[in-house]
Amino acid sequence: MESSALAAEPTATEVEGPGEELNALVEVLRDDAAREALIDKLLNLSDAGDDAKPSEATAPGIAQRIAGYTRDAAESLTTLVYGTVSWLEDLQRSLRTTGGFRFQDLVDIAVRLLIVIGTVIGAYIFLGLAARPIHAALSRRAEQRGAIQRAALLLLSLLLDALRVLLAWTAGYGVALYALGEAGRMDIRQSLFLNAFLVVQSILVVLRSVWLPRVESARFVPAGDLTSAYWYFWLARIVSVLGYGLLFLAPLAALNLPASTGRAVQVIVGLVALIMTVLLILQNRKSVAEALEARAKAVEGGTVGRMYGLLSRTWHVLALTYVIGLFVIWSTRPEGALSFMLKATAQSIAAVLLGLFIVGLISRGIRRGLRVPDELKRRLPLLEPRINAFVPAMLQAIRLVVVLAVILFVLHAWSVFDLVGWLASTAGQTLISRGLSVAIVLLVAALLWLGLSSWVEYRLNPDVGRAPSPRLRTLLSLFRNAATVALAIVTLMLVLSEMGLNIAPLLAGAGVIGLAIGFGAQKLVQDIITGVFIQLENAFNEGDVITVAGHTGVVEKLTVRSVSLRDLHGVYHIVPFSSVDSVSNFMMGFSYHVAEIGVAYRESVDEAKSLMHRAFDELREKREFTDDILGPLEWHGLTQFGDSAVVLRARIKARPGKQWAMGRAYNEIIKRLFDEAGIEIPYPHMTLYFGQDKDGTAPPLKAEIDGMRMHHDASTVDSETGRELRPSSA
C-alpha cells in the first residue's frame, strides 16, 4: 500500500485545481507569523479600497510604482524567511508522521523517472552521433558557397538539431506512455522532465547556432573558436540550471511536500543562476570593455561613438544592477513585477538590437559614400562629391532620429514615458506631421539644388557637346548664384511656415527692411545696378583679361555686386562695381601684338624691315601659333627717332589672349635674326664730355677708386699719406 502522500498519481487537473490553493492557505494559517502578515495585508487592502474610486482615473506614476515594488519586496522577503522556517518544520513533521510514504514507493517512482530520463538522453546522444556526418558534409559544402547559400545550409543544420531534440522528446514520451505503468497514462513527474527537456534543449539549439554552429563558416558572432566555446559553455549552464530547476525540480518538490517547498527550490535555483551570471559578468568585464572601446573608435566619434565609450566604462555596473534587481523582484513578487520586467527587457533588447542594426547600416553608408557610373561622372565630374557632401548629412540626421526613437521606445517599455499615448495625442501628431513636412521640404530643396547645379555643370563641361563661350559661363554662374539664394530664401520661409510660424509679418518686415536697406546702403544698390548694366553690355566675362579700377588681371569670379581679379603676381583683387569708371578688355573679339623694334642710326631700315617680315614668316610656321594668327604682318614703318635708336613698328593680329605668348616668341626670333645679320639693337648709354682749355688741353681728371686718387698723368697718390706712387718700370 502506498502512503496517503503517494497513494495515487496526481493528474494535471488535480495539481492545477483549487486543492493546492487551499493547502497553501492552510499552511499560511498554521504559521503565526505568516498568518499575522496575511491579516495585515488584508487590512491594508481594506483601507486602500476606501480611496480606490477617486484614484481610478489616474494611473500610478513611475515613482509610485517603484515605491510599491520596494514596499512589497520588503514584506515578501520577511514572508519568505518565515515561510522557509515553517517549511523546514512542516517537512520534519511530515517525515515523522506514521502515515508517511514507504521507501519502496519512492524507489519505484524514482526508477520509472530515471528510465524516462535515460531513454531521452540515450536517444539524444544516439541521434547526435547519427547526424554528425550530415553536419560535417554541410560544413564542407558551406566553405565553398556564398553568403546566401551558407545561410541556407545553416538553417538546414538548425532544423536537423531541432529534429534531434523533438525525436528524443518523442521517444521519452513513448516510453512513459506505453512501457511504464498503465498504457496511455503518464506520471506527471515524467511529464515535467520531458517538458523541461524540450524547452531547455530548444534554447540550446538556438545558442549553438549563434556561438557554435554546425556550419562553422556561418557563425553569426565575430569571435574565435575559444571565445565562442567559452560563452556557449556558460550560457548553456545558466539556461540548464534555470530550465531544469524551475520547470522540473521545483514542481517536483511541490507535489508531495509542503506548499512552500517548491517556492524555496525556485529561490535556490534562481540564486545559483544569479551567482553564475555575476561570475560571468565579472570575468568578462575587461574584455567586453575593450571590445566596446574598439567599436567606439571604429564608428569615428559622434553620438554613437560616445554611447559606446560610455557603455564600455559602465556596462558591468548596469548588468550587475539589472540581474540582481531581477532576482530580487522575481523572488519577492513573481506574479506581476517579474512578467512586467521580463517583457520590458525583451522589448528593450529588441529595440536596441534593431536600432544598432539600422545605425550600423547608416554608418557603413556614410563611410562608403555613393558611387556614380563612370559615364555620368564624365559628364558631371562634380556630381559625386556634391552628392557625398549631401547624403552623409541626411544619413546622420536619420541616425539621430533612429537613436531618439530607440530611447523613447525603451522608456515606453519601462513605463517611464507613454509613447503610444503621446503618438495618439494631438501634440504628438502635430509634432510628427510638422517634422515630416520640414524633412520633405528640405529634401525637395536639396534635390532641386542638386539638379540645378548638375545642369549648370553639364552646360559648362567642355568635354560634353559644344564648348561653352565665356558669355555663357558668366551668365550660367550668375544664374546659379541667384537661383541658390532664391531657393534658400523660399526654403527657409516654407520651413518656418511648416513649423507653425506665421511668415506674413516676416514678409512684411522683409519689405520694410529692404526699403530701409535701399535708402541706407546706396553703395550696395549702386554696385548691383552697375553690375547689371555691365552684364547687359557684355563688357567682360569670366576668363577675360581686363583692367578695371587700376588693377589688371584675369576675371575669376563675377557676382551681382563685384568682380574678382587675379593679377600677374597672383594677387587676388575684389573690385565692387560702384568703383568701376571704365573697363579695358584685352580679349574682346581679337587682339594685336605691337612690335616696336629699335635699331642703331647706322643700320639700314630696309634690311631691318626684311628681317622683321622673315621673323613673322618663321613665327607663322610654328604649329602652336598657326591657328592663332589672323592676318599678315602689318608694317607701320619708322615711327620715332630716339636718343640712341630709330624705332620700327609692326603689328600682328591674333586671337584674344594669344597676343602675349605670340609676342614673346616673335621677339625671340627678331633677336636671333638681328644678331646673325649684325644689326645693332642699341641700349641706352651716356658719353661724358669734360670740356677743353683755350690752349687745347683738357683739365685734369681726378677720381678716387677704392681709396686711391688717380691723376691724368697716371701717377697714383695714397689718399691717407699723400705720397705719390708711380708705377714700377718692371
Side-chain angles (χ1 to χ4, degrees), residues 511-526:
V512 174
I513 294 174
L515 185 61
I517 292 177
F519 284 108
Q522 298 182 16
K523 208 68 173 175
L524 177 62
V525 176
Q526 185 180 357

Side-chain angles (χ1 to χ4, degrees), residues 412-436:
H412 173 75
W414 291 94
S415 298
V416 178
F417 175 73
D418 187 8
L419 180 61
V420 177
W422 180 78
L423 291 176
S425 64
T426 304
Q429 293 178 357
T430 302
L431 181 60
I432 291 177
S433 63
R434 289 180 177 176
L436 290 176

Side-chain angles (χ1 to χ4, degrees), residues 177-228:
L177 286 173
Y178 300 104
L180 300 175
E182 184 179 352
R185 295 181 61 86
M186 179 189 299
D187 187 356
I188 192 172
R189 300 170 184 83
Q190 301 166 8
S191 179
L192 287 174
F193 170 76
L194 291 173
N195 294 337
F197 171 82
L198 181 62
V199 173
V200 172
Q201 294 302 322
S202 299
I203 297 175
L204 293 184
V205 166
V206 177
L207 289 178
R208 277 197 299 273
S209 67
V210 174
W211 293 101
L212 296 174
R214 302 290 185 180
V215 182
E216 296 183 359
S217 59
R219 180 178 295 160
F220 287 141
V221 180
D225 295 338
L226 184 61
T227 303
S228 300

Side-chain angles (χ1 to χ4, degrees), residues 1-10 98-110 112 181 187 189 256:
M1 291 288 295
E2 295 182 350
S3 64
S4 59
L6 301 173
E9 299 295 338
T98 55
F101 59 83
R102 294 181 304 171
F103 182 75
Q104 184 61 38
D105 297 334
L106 180 62
V107 171
D108 292 340
I109 295 173
R112 289 196 294 270
D187 187 356
R189 300 170 184 83
N256 301 105

